[in-house]
Amino acid sequence: MTAPALSAEQEALFRLIEDTREHVFITGRAGTGKSTLLRHLTWHTSKQIAICAPTGVAALNVEGQTIHSLFKLPIGLIADQDLEQSDATRKLLNAIDTLVIDEISMVNADLMDAIDRSLRQARGRRREPFGGVQVVMFGDPYQLAPVPPRGDEARYIADHYRSFWFFDAHVWAGAEPGGDGLIDLGRHGADLHIRELTHIHRQSDDGFKAMLNAVRYGRVTADIAEKLNRAGARTPPSDPSDPVITLATRNDRVNAINAKHLAALAGREQTAVAEISGDFGRGDVYPADEQLKLKVGAQVMFLRNDVSGPDGPRWVNGTIGIVTRIMGDSVRVEVDGEEFDVEPTVWEKHRYSYDAASKKLSRDVVAEFTQFPLRLAWAVTIHKSQGKTYDRAIVDLGSGAFAPGQTYVALSRLTSLDGLYLTRPLRPSDIRVDEDVRRFMRAAWERDAAGMRSAATG
């Protein structure tokens, strides 16, 4: 599959990363091409990069390694406990030029500081942020948040940090936690360059883009809410050949919808069991169902981009289709009136190591997960819809959005307002924006504006 060409703003960001040693946080609204830029960086950088992410599924999506696995960090609050590092870990961390972290908004401040301390310790450069490694981060704090700390961990975070978000880590301020709160080490914190991609590739209608922006920033007026609710009040198509997916807040709701629809289909249920080799981890990090239950007529969603189409991809991650035939080694799926035979695909789990002979990082495959790249898709959680694009979707917020950004993620999956169906009208309580995110991004905009004013008058 041919990689998409970069836009001018994506190319400028790639050059900033490639030609400097600056620490960069790349953010942007849904559909602005953050993943495209990350893939381009992976394929075209001349630097030795290590790619990581906070969760197993996120790491698989970028063909990287989890943060905890790469840095050999303990699970849970790390605080100021000693970090044990083997010779192999130190050699690996010394070989990194640029550390790329995807889904950075899910990384908490404590883990961000542990990454900093690990690199300083391994590289013997304790007074230099990240031990001299360039850090490049991708993500959108308006969409995904870290898991909130609880109990003693919450009390520790409250005593030592302004918030639990990555941007409030001490590495950015030049101080780190100690027994009595913040201890100034007399060193400079890392200078973080915040760059926001602005060109939206997913939606083309300016009016719908403006509505999504209002939801993203928590600035939904009565007029915008009325337009969204009026559009979403339409009855969705019920024809099985005209599939519409439901985006719901909770797993139990999604599982109930999918089970109900699968049971209603005539014919024999068949199960495809995944083949797992190596240490792939627990089921919650599997990229697809370990046991995929299907029937002819089942509505499914593709979980990976097609790479074998002679004239380009026949489907992409998030494409919806209908199963028309189940064979032993393939599943036939109809997409937009055309049928394709889908075969099992392999997801590879990677681990970085240091090659002493070449004095370079190597990325090795340590486990494989083989399964059809399909999931039942009468419904999917809003969280798992992250990064997907749909022409139409039923948004089911149930008793209410329970996390900041949840409603924005759901609505921004759609390519147009015409494809929106709501199970109930949006409520003011569904539009949730984290106040720490609002503070951080406002400060970033003000800093950018001041910089532009300074440049104009300089």
Side-chain angles (χ1 to χ4, degrees):
M1 184 170 62
T2 303
L6 294 186
S7 65
E9 65 174 356
Q10 288 171 325
E11 178 64 31
L13 277 177
F14 173 69
R15 295 278 27 124
L16 172 65
I17 297 166
E18 189 71 4
D19 298 341
T20 75
R21 302 289 302 163
E22 305 289 357
H23 304 299
V24 187
F25 168 41
I26 297 168
T27 188
R29 290 162 287 179
T32 50
K34 296 183 292 294
S35 296
T36 298
L37 176 57
L38 193 156
R39 285 193 296 270
H40 183 87
L41 175 65
T42 303
W43 296 334
H44 295 93
T45 184
S46 61
K47 298 178 179 179
Q48 291 207 80
I49 67 170
I51 305 171
C52 59
T55 68
V57 172
L60 283 175
N61 289 338
V62 292
E63 298 184 345
Q65 196 170 341
T66 65
I67 294 170
H68 286 86
S69 172
L70 178 64
F71 288 92
K72 302 297 186 287
L73 293 169
I75 300 298
L77 187 71
I78 298 167
D80 57 355
Q81 64 181 282
D82 292 337
L83 300 178
E84 297 182 4
Q85 293 179 331
S86 65
D87 286 343
T89 298
R90 285 195 294 271
K91 288 179 180 177
L92 187 158
L93 298 182
N94 269 278
I96 298 173
D97 294 325
T98 299
L99 177 71
V100 178
I101 309 175
D102 194 29
E103 301 292 13
I104 187 62
S105 64
M106 298 179 71
V107 174
N108 65 44
D110 174 68
L111 182 55
M112 191 81 244
D113 279 334
I115 293 170
D116 169 50
R117 190 150 57 95
S118 295
L119 289 167
R120 292 175 194 254
Q121 180 175 310
R123 298 165 70 91
R125 299 162 73 173
R126 293 181 179 268
R127 299 182 68 82
E128 191 172 356
F130 301 107
V133 171
Q134 179 188 31
V135 175
V136 177
M137 302 170 291
F138 289 82
D140 181 7
Y142 284 105
Q143 295 187 56
L144 288 174
V147 176
R150 295 177 179 173
D152 288 342
E153 292 189 2
R155 286 186 283 274
Y156 177 90
I157 294 294
D159 285 345
H160 292 78
Y161 289 98
R162 185 169 183 177
S163 80
F164 62 99
W165 288 85
F166 77 94
F167 47 74
D168 281 328
H170 300 301
V171 62
W172 307 121
E176 66 180 24
D180 299 318
L182 302 186
I183 297 178
D184 186 356
L185 298 184
R187 57 173 167 79
H188 295 293
D191 186 14
L192 180 59
H193 293 259
I194 303 164
R195 296 292 183 268
E196 184 167 8
L197 291 167
T198 59
H199 179 69
I200 298 175
H201 303 270
R202 183 173 293 147
Q203 295 94 17
S204 57
D205 177 69
D206 288 339
F208 188 41
K209 289 180 185 179
M211 294 180 201
L212 293 178
N213 278 345
V215 175
R216 171 182 166 90
Y217 301 127
R219 301 169 183 163
V220 176
T221 63
D223 180 59
I224 292 173
E226 194 273 333
K227 289 178 180 177
L228 288 169
N229 286 330
R230 186 173 65 241
R234 293 170 294 115
T235 301
S238 57
D239 184 350
S241 65
D242 195 18
V244 182
I245 192 170
T246 294
L247 309 182
T249 55
R250 298 185 181 277
N251 270 311
D252 54 359
R253 174 66 174 152
V254 166
N255 293 337
I257 292 173
N258 285 330
K260 175 185 175 182
H261 282 278
L262 188 66
L265 292 175
R268 181 168 64 94
E269 181 182 286
Q270 299 187 54
T271 302
V273 180
E275 295 180 9
I276 304 171
S277 63
D279 180 15
F280 211 93
R282 305 180 310 277
D284 59 349
V285 301
Y286 292 165
D289 292 337
E290 184 177 7
Q291 295 190 26
L292 174 63
K293 300 180 185 299
L294 294 175
K295 287 183 182 179
V296 171
Q299 182 167 297
V300 292
M301 178 175 68
F302 285 86
L303 301 176
R304 296 192 74 171
N305 295 339
D306 172 44
V307 295
S308 58
D311 301 317
R314 297 166 294 175
W315 59 79
V316 296
N317 186 0
T319 294
I320 303 295
I322 299 293
V323 173
T324 59
R325 185 177 177 187
I326 302 174
M327 299 156 279
D329 57 354
S330 66
V331 175
R332 186 164 295 167
V333 180
E334 180 183 333
V335 178
D336 294 332
E338 191 172 357
E339 293 188 340
F340 304 109
D341 287 337
V342 183
E343 298 177 346
T345 191
V346 179
W347 283 266
E348 297 176 338
K349 182 178 180 180
H350 295 87
R351 183 171 297 152
Y352 289 95
S353 61
Y354 177 69
D355 187 330
S358 65
K359 297 184 178 180
K360 292 184 177 180
L361 288 178
S362 64
R363 191 178 59 167
D364 309 311
V365 176
V366 296
E368 293 183 342
F369 183 99
T370 305
Q371 178 60 289
F372 291 102
L374 302 169
R375 171 182 286 139
L376 291 179
W378 286 284
V380 66
T381 62
I382 293 171
H383 183 79
K384 287 183 178 177
S385 75
Q386 190 79 18
K388 307 291 194 300
T389 299
Y390 306 114
D391 291 331
R392 295 174 301 178
I394 301 167
V395 176
D396 182 354
L397 296 176
S399 58
F402 58 83
Q406 200 170 42
T407 301
Y408 172 65
V409 170
L411 297 179
S412 62
R413 301 308 97 200
L414 290 160
T415 56
S416 73
L417 187 61
D418 292 337
L420 173 64
Y421 302 93
L422 294 168
T423 59
R424 63 159 175 80
L426 294 174
R427 305 166 185 158
S429 59
D430 294 323
I431 312 300
R432 303 182 61 183
V433 180
D434 187 279
E435 287 304 316
D436 288 304
V437 171
R438 205 191 296 268
R439 162 181 57 83
F440 169 69
M441 294 304 293
R442 184 187 300 117
W445 294 327
E446 290 173 353
R447 187 165 56 248
D448 283 350
M452 287 188 289
R453 286 195 299 269
S454 176
T457 58

